[in-house]
Amino acid sequence: MGFTFKAFHISDEGLGMPVSTDGVLLGAWAPLDGAQKVLDLGAGSGLLSLMAAQRSNAQICAIEIDSAAARVCRDNFAASPWADRLKVIEADATRANALAGEVFTHILCNPPYFETGPLSAKPGRAQARHTGSLGFDALCTLLARHLSPGGSASLILPIESEPSFMRALTDCPLGVTQRVEVSTVEGKAPRRLLYALGHHKEGTPHCDTLAIRDTNGEYTARMRTLTQDFYLKL
C-alpha cells in the first residue's frame, strides 16, 4: 500500500494513514523559503518531511509518538533521495526532553483535530486524528517552544476547529501571519484553513482563498500550480 509522487513513494504498510489531500496541500503550500532546520510535528508516515525535503535544502527532523508509524517513516526516508537530510525521533513531543530544547526555522504540523466522535479501531490512527493525543493548548506551547525567533510554523485545520484553535493562541506568543480558506469546489463554503504562524502577535494576517476543484470537477489552475511538482499526474 502507498502512494507514488514524482520523486518519492509513500508507504503506510497498513497504518491506516493514507496520503490525504490535507497533507499534500500543507506540504505544498507551507512557506519554506529560507528554511534551514525543519520540524515535522506528528510525522505519521513522513509525507510532510519528504515534501519539505523536495522543496528545500533544510535538515529535517520528524517526531512521531506511534512506534509503527515511526518505523514506516524511517523506511520511507531511507528509500527517498534525501535520506541524509531526514531523521526520525520516536517520542512524545509534549515531553520536555523529547527535542532537547532544539529550535527550528520552520515547523510543519497536520494536527489531530477531531474533538468529538468515535475513535478509530487502530490506535495509531486514533492518536493521529483526535485531539486527545495533542490538544490545541499543548500544540501552541510546542510551537512557541521550538520555533526560532524569525521562524514560521504551518498547519491545516477544519474550519470548525478555528474557534478552539484561536482560543489556544490567546495565551501563546505566536500569531497568525497567513490564513487561507480552502474549499473543495469553487463557490462552495470553505472546509479547511491553512495557517502560517510567527512571532508576530499583532498585525493583520494576509488572507487568501483556494479552491481544489472547479465546478466541472477538474483541479483548478491554482491547485495544479501548487502541487504539480509532486503528483505524477494531475
Side-chain angles (χ1 to χ4, degrees):
M1 294 291 291
F3 192 92
T4 300
F5 289 86
K6 284 182 179 178
F8 58 88
H9 177 79
I10 286 280
S11 170
D12 72 358
E13 293 191 23
L15 292 175
M17 298 178 185
V19 169
S20 68
T21 301
D22 282 8
V24 173
L25 273 173
L26 178 59
W29 172 84
L32 295 177
D33 292 348
Q36 299 171 326
K37 192 176 178 183
V38 173
L39 173 65
D40 180 358
L41 186 57
S45 59
L47 170 67
L48 292 177
S49 292
L50 289 163
M51 293 182 77
Q54 181 173 328
R55 293 184 54 208
S56 74
N57 293 315
Q59 296 293 319
I60 298 161
C61 173
I63 187 164
E64 172 55 50
I65 190 173
D66 181 71
S67 296
R71 174 182 52 79
V72 171
C73 191
R74 288 190 192 95
D75 290 345
N76 283 332
F77 288 178
S80 80
W82 313 286
D84 60 331
R85 293 194 284 118
L86 294 156
K87 72 173 182 178
V88 181
I89 296 175
E90 183 184 327
D92 180 350
T94 62
R95 293 187 178 274
N97 63 347
L99 291 164
E102 285 191 79
V103 294
F104 299 83
T105 53
H106 199 96
I107 300 176
L108 294 162
C109 187
N110 184 358
Y113 49 66
F114 287 111
E115 297 172 282
T116 60
L119 292 174
S120 168
K122 296 183 178 181
R125 181 66 167 168
Q127 273 188 332
R129 301 289 278 176
H130 283 75
T131 57
S133 59
L134 181 64
F136 291 143
D137 288 332
L139 173 61
C140 289
T141 297
L142 280 171
L143 294 176
R145 179 186 300 158
H146 295 292
L147 187 64
S148 65
S152 62
S154 302
L155 59 154
I156 187 167
L157 291 174
I159 198 159
E160 58 267 24
S161 292
E162 184 170 41
S164 297
F165 180 67
M166 295 308 294
R167 282 195 297 273
L169 269 184
T170 301
D171 297 322
C172 175
L174 304 179
V176 177
T177 58
Q178 295 184 57
R179 178 182 181 274
V180 180
E181 294 184 351
V182 181
S183 58
T184 55
V185 179
E186 285 180 328
K188 298 287 188 181
R191 299 284 301 276
R192 295 287 187 266
L193 290 168
L194 287 162
Y195 289 107
L197 308 178
H199 289 279
H200 311 288
K201 195 67 175 177
E202 305 300 329
T204 303
H206 174 74
C207 295
D208 201 357
T209 59
L210 170 67
I212 296 173
R213 295 182 183 273
D214 61 25
T215 53
N216 295 317
E218 302 293 331
Y219 285 112
T220 62
R222 179 123 182 254
M223 181 66 176
R224 290 174 185 274
T225 299
L226 188 64
T227 60
Q228 64 187 356
D229 289 339
F230 298 100
Y231 284 122
L232 287 168
K233 188 176 181 181
L234 190 66

